[in-house]
Amino acid sequence: MSEARRYQQLRAHLSYLKLGDAAEALPRILDAARAENLSLTAALERLLEIEVNATEARRLTSRLRFACLPEPWTMADFDFAAQPGVDAKLINDLASLRFLDDAANVLFVGPPGVGKTMLAVALARGAVEAGHRVYFTTAADLAARCHKAALEGRWHTCMRFFAGPKLLVIDELGYLPLPGDGASALFQVINQRYLKSSTILTTNVGIADWATAFGDATVAAAMLDRLLHRATVVGIDGPSYRLRNHQATAETMRKAVAAHVS
Ligand code: ADP
Ligand code: MG
């Protein structure tokens, strides 16, 4: 077989095996192999590395798209100095993602604006980048979706969907009652993930008030039991980051008025 024909065959093999990036890089790698006098092993390794990197990048993009993270936040964006209520050591430990191996949960509890969603998104982002399947939703969305699924006879498919991700983030469990039979849907999702895979939950309802917030003390207790069995609870009781600027503006205005009056 002539060298030219062998080259065409090799490219065809790569394309047939859907190694498109390697097929495209082949002439470049062969030139480099000749110019740098690469061993056969080194040239093959270089060629396949290109395909591996491209596949990795494609998978990361698809995991990120699936995760539905609402913001591009990462841990580096979180300003620990601005939120003295957060234990940086604890958050950094969570960022190691060891809790995923133990199927442990994380609860962020605190008033609005203190960075609960931001920390949940940053952890989720880290998990996506580490190769895990992650899904972000809000408690209200989850309840609405489960309700719709029940009406359309897709309850089991819906439950399987929420059981799937290695990490599920349920944002904004609040004082407002969940739509439909939301509390019980949420309980079932938590229950089927219990001891199997991790859930991060953010809420402005202090754990002591869950019974009243859910309107059903039994469901609340059962849910807390599963959630807290293996969990890190991060209470954030600092100032609202959202209101920081408002507070600064209000302070400046107060001072200006006071100066004017005196
Ligand atoms: P919560 O979910 O507790 O209501 P968020 O996580 O949505 O609060 O944060 C509110 C806003 O303030 C977001 O835009 C977030 O990026 C920002 N923010 C909150 N805490 C911090 C922080 N410590 N460093 C940087 N930005 C922060
Ligand atoms: Mg939030």
Side-chain angles (χ1 to χ4, degrees):
M1 198 193 292
S2 78
E3 195 58 18
R5 179 153 161 65
R6 205 187 298 278
Y7 169 77
Q8 289 306 336
Q9 278 285 48
L10 178 52
R11 266 199 90 133
H13 290 331
L14 290 171
S15 299
Y16 181 75
L17 294 171
K18 300 199 167 29
L19 306 176
D21 292 271
E24 196 191 314
L26 185 61
R28 185 154 48 86
I29 297 297
L30 289 177
D31 287 346
R34 220 163 289 129
E36 298 170 40
N37 214 1
L38 291 184
S39 71
L40 188 57
T41 322
L44 277 175
E45 196 274 335
R46 216 183 265 190
L47 183 69
L48 291 184
E49 185 192 27
I50 288 168
E51 189 64 44
V52 167
N53 289 344
T55 304
E56 245 315 293
R58 272 194 301 273
R59 288 187 184 165
L60 174 63
T61 308
S62 115
R63 281 196 308 276
L64 260 180
R65 198 176 308 130
F66 178 83
C68 294
L69 302 182
E71 301 280 350
W73 292 325
T74 68
M75 225 19 119
D77 299 322
F78 192 79
D79 180 359
F80 285 96
Q83 192 50 273
V86 167
D87 180 354
K89 244 174 68 189
L90 179 65
I91 301 300
N92 285 328
D93 187 49
L94 289 173
S96 77
L97 301 175
R98 271 191 309 134
F99 71 97
L100 293 182
D101 299 331
D102 303 336
N105 303 318
V106 183
L107 261 79
F108 290 106
V109 186
V114 294
K116 300 183 300 295
T117 300
M118 190 177 193
L119 287 170
V121 168
L123 288 176
R125 175 65 181 246
V128 171
E129 282 170 3
H132 299 293
R133 201 171 160 75
V134 174
Y135 189 73
F136 181 102
T137 185
T138 63
D141 268 359
L142 183 145
R145 247 172 93 171
C146 291
H147 185 66
K148 188 157 176 277
L151 292 180
E152 294 170 358
R154 293 183 291 103
W155 178 260
H156 291 291
T157 318
C158 182
M159 284 297 121
R160 247 199 326 274
F161 176 82
F162 285 114
K166 177 84 175 171
L167 173 63
L168 177 68
V169 181
I170 305 173
D171 198 26
E172 279 179 15
L173 183 64
Y175 282 105
L176 286 180
L178 291 168
D181 42 4
S184 112
L186 186 61
F187 170 73
Q188 293 202 41
V189 168
I190 301 284
N191 189 41
Q192 61 174 359
R193 296 179 60 79
Y194 175 56
L195 299 182
K196 296 199 190 84
S197 33
S198 300
T199 305
I200 297 181
L201 201 133
T202 84
T203 177
N204 56 8
V205 183
I207 284 168
D209 298 327
W210 275 41
T212 13
F214 283 110
D216 183 334
T218 320
V219 173
M223 187 141 65
L224 275 173
D225 185 57
R226 312 297 194 275
L227 271 175
L228 297 180
H229 177 204
R230 231 183 254 167
T232 305
V233 179
V234 185
I236 312 179
D237 211 3
S240 164
Y241 198 91
R242 276 200 199 99
L243 296 181
R244 247 164 46 130
N245 288 334
H246 297 287
Q247 269 154 3
T249 315
E251 190 60 24
T252 317
M253 276 168 67
R254 231 184 343 264
K255 279 189 186 142
V257 170
H260 189 74
V261 167
S262 64

